[in-house]
Amino acid sequence: MEQPLFLTLFLLFSIGIQFVSSHQESGNWHCETDEESRISAEFMPGVVTLDGHADDWDNIEGFEFSLLPALDPDHDHEYKGGKMTVKALHDGKDVYFLLKVDGEYLYKKGNDKNCPSVALMFQVGESATYHSMGGCKQSPDACNKKTCRGHEVDIMHFSIGNAIPGRLYGGNPVDNRDGNGGDRFGHLVDLYAWSPHCMNLDGVSSTGNDTSAQNDWRGAWWHSSFSTHSGYSEEDSPYSTKGQKGTFYFEFSRALRTMDRLQQDVQFTIGQPSKFSAAFWYPEDGNPWHGSGHYTIGCDWVPLDVPPGSSAGIKVVSRSSWDAANGFAFLLSVVSFGVSFFVAYWVHKKNAISFQPIDL
């Protein structure tokens, strides 16, 4: 196994500890769901550019969520910095997400836990619950694709400690060549899980790796305090001044359907809803984030709709185009016939020889 994969797995193990610690409830689980919370990824091709900037999302509706502690989803302990707004759309091929969170600017190069971090989680298996990340009851040494069948969840996690603002991270030829969901450059990783104790990069498992997997996600991040919009490089770190008030933006995309054959990726279908959630880590009070810094947009799955484009609009445009084409063709044929008739008449008249009798 190559060193970059060792590093990725080490980071994954570290994150896994945070997931596990954030799911050790001290009492009975209590959840009050918001029945109105729902996201619709409307069909809007050619609208957004995946660069971390949110200007092109201004006219797209989203839903504003309170960020509640994953350990105890109590509104009395929600994230103090503000709400998380989630927006989504699709273009018939890819689905796009924007996560918008208010927060003072914090960034420490090379230290993910001293920087904000986000994750998206989707139901894959029909029995997969939001609570306990799939809800498989098997112990860490017994969970596998057979014993936890039906409890699969798909996770995208982005830790920005090594990610330059506005630059794309996630799936890349180097890591996808190794057949796993890692990202050695920016740590925007593609994971699957059956429970907080049983989580791996796509393609990696305790029973053996499958090199057909890959990281299908792309993403970028930004903060509203940045003064440069033409692009940053690593030498510009930390990119802004610590403590500046503003908003973090996290933008992601992925194909609606992937080449996954391991039951590790959610497959989006136009016209059918999916279930998802989003999480946010923030190093509060100068401390690295950990279990108490793990917030989510609710305590259960949130419906995600992927509606088709407007078929009525397509039919109207198509019919109008057809009628215009037919009308123009008919007019052209009438004009052509008239011109042909005139030319024939003119030629006939010009070449006509008058009859004169000859006396014999």
Side-chain angles (χ1 to χ4, degrees), residues 2-226:
E2 297 181 1
Q3 184 176 358
L5 182 56
F6 271 121
L7 176 61
T8 301
L9 291 175
F10 173 78
L11 293 171
L12 174 61
F13 175 75
S14 178
I15 293 172
I17 293 176
Q18 309 307 323
F19 274 112
V20 172
S21 65
S22 66
H23 283 77
Q24 300 301 316
E25 295 86 13
S26 57
N28 294 328
W29 175 255
H30 177 68
C31 175
E32 295 181 1
T33 59
D34 183 353
E35 299 296 335
E36 296 183 356
S37 61
R38 194 179 194 96
I39 297 296
S40 181
E42 297 291 336
F43 176 67
M44 302 182 72
V47 173
V48 300
T49 301
L50 194 65
D51 56 6
H53 299 274
D55 298 346
D56 42 7
W57 289 85
D58 286 346
N59 296 324
I60 299 170
E61 294 184 2
F63 196 93
E64 188 177 74
F65 297 89
S66 297
L67 285 167
L68 308 178
L71 179 64
D72 180 16
D74 189 335
H75 283 272
D76 292 336
H77 302 107
E78 66 181 78
Y79 170 62
K80 300 176 183 178
K83 312 290 185 180
M84 173 185 279
T85 299
V86 181
K87 298 184 178 183
L89 62 83
H90 78 95
D91 61 7
K93 178 183 177 183
D94 297 323
V95 60
Y96 297 80
F97 295 90
L98 176 73
L99 307 184
K100 173 183 173 183
V101 189
D102 292 334
E104 294 183 357
Y105 184 72
L106 292 173
Y107 186 85
K108 189 172 184 180
K109 180 182 175 182
N111 193 324
D112 287 330
K113 296 179 184 178
N114 280 290
C115 304
S117 181
V118 293
L120 293 173
M121 182 171 72
F122 303 87
Q123 183 189 52
V124 178
E126 293 184 1
S127 301
T129 59
Y130 161 82
H131 180 52
S132 195
M133 293 174 61
C136 182
K137 304 298 184 182
Q138 297 292 327
S139 61
D141 57 349
C143 59
N144 55 57
K145 62 182 180 181
K146 292 183 178 180
T147 60
C148 290
R149 177 68 178 174
H151 291 274
E152 302 87 356
V153 295
D154 184 11
I155 301 170
M156 183 284 309
H157 190 272
F158 190 20
S159 298
I160 66 173
N162 288 300
I164 302 170
R167 304 297 182 182
L168 278 181
Y169 294 96
N172 61 81
V174 178
D175 288 297
N176 285 343
R177 181 187 60 199
D178 293 337
N180 63 72
D183 174 17
R184 70 188 71 187
F185 304 106
H187 201 69
L188 194 163
V189 294
D190 196 348
L191 314 163
Y192 72 98
W194 298 296
S195 73
H197 310 277
C198 303
M199 179 174 59
N200 288 295
L201 291 170
D202 280 11
V204 177
S205 72
S206 58
T207 57
N209 300 341
D210 190 311
T211 56
S212 68
Q214 64 178 13
N215 188 339
D216 294 291
W217 287 93
R218 307 288 188 278
W221 73 279
W222 197 258
H223 191 266
S224 59
S225 67
F226 295 154

Side-chain angles (χ1 to χ4, degrees), residues 186-360:
H187 201 69
L188 194 163
V189 294
D190 196 348
L191 314 163
Y192 72 98
W194 298 296
S195 73
H197 310 277
C198 303
M199 179 174 59
N200 288 295
L201 291 170
D202 280 11
V204 177
S205 72
S206 58
T207 57
N209 300 341
D210 190 311
T211 56
S212 68
Q214 64 178 13
N215 188 339
D216 294 291
W217 287 93
R218 307 288 188 278
W221 73 279
W222 197 258
H223 191 266
S224 59
S225 67
F226 295 154
S227 58
T228 299
H229 290 270
S230 58
Y232 287 104
S233 61
E234 188 175 5
E235 291 73 20
D236 298 317
S237 176
Y239 314 110
S240 186
T241 305
K242 179 181 178 180
Q244 285 213 58
K245 295 185 181 298
T247 303
F248 287 96
Y249 301 101
F250 304 91
E251 193 175 16
F252 307 103
S253 75
R254 203 213 74 174
L256 290 170
R257 313 289 290 187
T258 73
M259 300 292 288
D260 170 52
R261 59 183 182 83
L262 305 173
Q263 191 71 350
Q264 296 173 358
D265 288 344
V266 60
Q267 303 298 331
F268 300 105
T269 301
I270 294 175
Q272 296 183 13
S274 299
K275 296 179 180 180
F276 91 107
S277 187
F280 180 62
W281 288 257
Y282 190 78
E284 297 178 295
D285 302 323
N287 299 315
W289 51 256
H290 49 84
S292 64
H294 177 190
Y295 297 94
T296 65
I297 61 174
C299 56
D300 205 348
W301 293 119
V302 175
L304 171 67
D305 296 320
V306 186
S310 175
S311 58
I314 295 173
K315 289 179 180 178
V316 169
V317 173
S318 178
R319 183 176 179 181
S320 299
S321 301
W322 179 256
D323 290 345
N326 282 344
F328 181 75
F330 177 74
L331 179 62
L332 185 62
S333 63
V334 171
V335 172
S336 299
F337 178 77
V339 171
S340 300
F341 180 80
F342 174 77
V343 170
Y345 172 78
W346 182 77
V347 171
H348 175 75
K349 183 177 180 181
K350 183 178 180 181
N351 294 334
I353 301 175
S354 59
F355 173 77
Q356 295 183 1
I358 301 176
D359 294 332
L360 295 176

